[in-house]
Amino acid sequence: MNVFCFGAGKAGGRVVEQLLQYERQLKADFIVGAAACDTTAADLDALELVPEDARVLFGTAETNGEGFEGDAAGGTEAAKKEHRQLLEPTDDAPIAASDAFVVCAGLGGGTGGPTAAVIAERLSEMYDQPVYGVGVFSTSTTDPQRASNTLRSLRRLVSTTDHVFGFDTASRVKEEPVSDETYDTLNAELARRLGTLFAAGEVTTADDVGESVVDASEIMNTLRGGGLATLGYSERPLPPRDTSVRGRLKRLIGDDTESVDQIDSLNRITTQTREAVRGQLTLPCDIGTASRGLLVITGRPAWLNRDAISQNQGWLEDQTGSLEVRNGDDPRPDADALSVLVVLGGVAPPERLTALQAVADGDDTNDD
């Protein structure tokens, strides 16, 4: 799936940076354009991969480039007032080559969440492509303002997008304050999941074509109907390729087939599928509430056991109670690991939102 990515606020910009980095690492080509906007000049300046002419500083009249410091109402008004400026990076971009827009933001502050909702709403008005949100929950579990901002921004993002990928960072953070290094690790984790999803099906050679291709329509069908989605992921190294003289000679004459024990490949896919949904979801939730699902297996072609993929699709159908679980394989001839990605769409609001509401009840500011 080819996507145009927007990063709103500090966290959103960092997620887009990590997506661009993952695209480079994978030697893929699924991002047709990237942009970032913020009310804090220093955070925009810290970006390295988002093109400079696609970084938009706004709200300077209100903040002098120093941000809204949690004032979500101020961030919303500034974004609405300067919405045309926020979308300027799309003016000369190859939007026709994009299957979807992806708008990323942290939800606990005063800029990211409010701005993401404004951008998503305007994109939906201007273009035919679906707009997906990526909402990063606040790591704080005790700050009423951040809890309130997270809930309000999430509601707005869900209402203005075709679906929102949720990421509850608090489930992965053991103590506060959170260092920049930890945030980078979390953002990289999220980017790997999103990047694996978007890169699947974007083939560059005949060797990369899977038996069951995950194209843009499969992803869109999984995410249709709106709501919240969660991403599960498991990656484990594969045994190295045969480096013996015989193995090298085979590859030299063009025979790149790999001998793989089918029981081993089945066990790997089965184990990793269960790992992906048990403790590895970006938004911990009751998977039995998911309305749709998608299973994507990435690795060297010989390890993509179709029987195993079908069996684990059936297992996901049993676990979710949904008959709308799709599957696909993403062959990567040079892969040194097998990865399993599980997308669950339309999940019910998780317990984390109830906990945030309890914290937010002590904060009466920023009322709608």
Side-chain angles (χ1 to χ4, degrees), residues 307-326:
D307 288 339
I309 296 172
S310 296
Q311 288 180 29
N312 282 278
Q313 174 190 0
W315 179 81
L316 281 173
E317 289 174 346
D318 291 340
Q319 297 300 303
T320 61
S322 171
L323 295 179
E324 294 192 61
V325 177
R326 297 167 172 80

Side-chain angles (χ1 to χ4, degrees), residues 52-337:
E52 285 190 35
D53 60 358
R55 304 177 201 172
V56 179
L57 179 67
F58 72 103
T60 54
E62 297 84 357
T63 71
N64 197 32
E66 296 183 357
F68 277 99
E69 298 295 333
D71 178 8
T76 299
E77 289 306 309
K80 288 180 177 178
K81 183 171 67 175
E82 301 181 53
H83 71 270
R84 188 65 197 92
Q85 180 184 355
L86 299 179
L87 267 61
E88 281 183 357
T90 66
D91 289 348
D92 299 318
I95 299 301
S98 175
D99 297 306
F101 293 99
V102 179
V103 185
C104 310
L107 303 180
T111 297
T115 303
V118 172
I119 290 173
E121 185 174 22
R122 300 301 180 184
L123 288 172
S124 296
E125 292 171 355
M126 295 174 61
Y127 299 103
D128 294 329
Q129 290 94 329
V131 181
Y132 301 120
V134 177
V136 181
F137 291 19
S138 170
T139 54
S140 175
T141 57
T142 58
D143 186 323
Q145 184 184 47
R146 296 192 70 82
S148 180
N149 286 347
T150 297
L151 292 168
R152 286 185 171 87
S153 290
L154 180 62
R155 284 197 294 267
R156 289 168 179 155
L157 199 56
V158 167
S159 68
T160 55
T161 61
D162 292 271
H163 223 101
V164 174
F165 296 101
F167 186 31
D168 180 13
T169 54
S171 65
R172 289 167 165 75
V173 173
K174 302 304 181 184
E175 58 184 38
E176 298 182 64
V178 183
S179 68
D180 284 346
E181 290 77 11
T182 298
Y183 278 125
D184 286 342
T185 299
L186 292 171
N187 291 333
E189 180 182 336
L190 175 59
R192 179 174 290 274
R193 286 160 166 75
L194 292 170
T196 298
L197 176 63
F198 300 145
E202 299 302 319
V203 300
T204 56
T205 69
D207 291 337
D208 296 340
V209 179
E211 290 189 31
S212 180
V213 177
V214 183
D215 59 17
S217 64
E218 293 293 314
I219 299 172
M220 292 177 189
N221 282 329
T222 302
L223 299 174
R224 77 178 189 274
L228 274 174
T230 184
L231 299 166
Y233 186 80
S234 173
E235 180 179 297
R236 291 193 179 190
L238 287 171
R241 297 294 300 267
D242 182 6
T243 58
S244 67
V245 173
R246 179 174 179 273
R248 292 197 301 272
L249 283 174
K250 283 180 60 179
R251 288 191 289 278
L252 187 63
I253 63 174
D255 182 359
D256 201 36
T257 57
E258 183 178 4
S259 178
V260 171
D261 186 307
Q262 294 303 293
I263 298 299
D264 188 7
S265 64
L266 185 150
N267 288 339
R268 284 174 179 269
I269 291 173
T270 298
T271 297
Q272 289 185 232
T273 300
R274 282 145 180 77
E275 284 180 348
V277 298
R278 292 174 176 168
Q280 295 297 322
L281 297 175
T282 56
L283 187 63
C285 63
D286 178 3
I287 67 171
T289 65
S291 57
R292 297 174 187 85
L294 175 64
L295 173 66
V296 182
I297 314 296
T298 301
R300 296 201 297 268
W303 290 91
L304 304 182
N305 184 322
R306 286 303 311 170
D307 288 339
I309 296 172
S310 296
Q311 288 180 29
N312 282 278
Q313 174 190 0
W315 179 81
L316 281 173
E317 289 174 346
D318 291 340
Q319 297 300 303
T320 61
S322 171
L323 295 179
E324 294 192 61
V325 177
R326 297 167 172 80
N327 76 69
D329 54 5
D330 182 20
R332 300 283 169 176
D334 296 328
D336 56 9

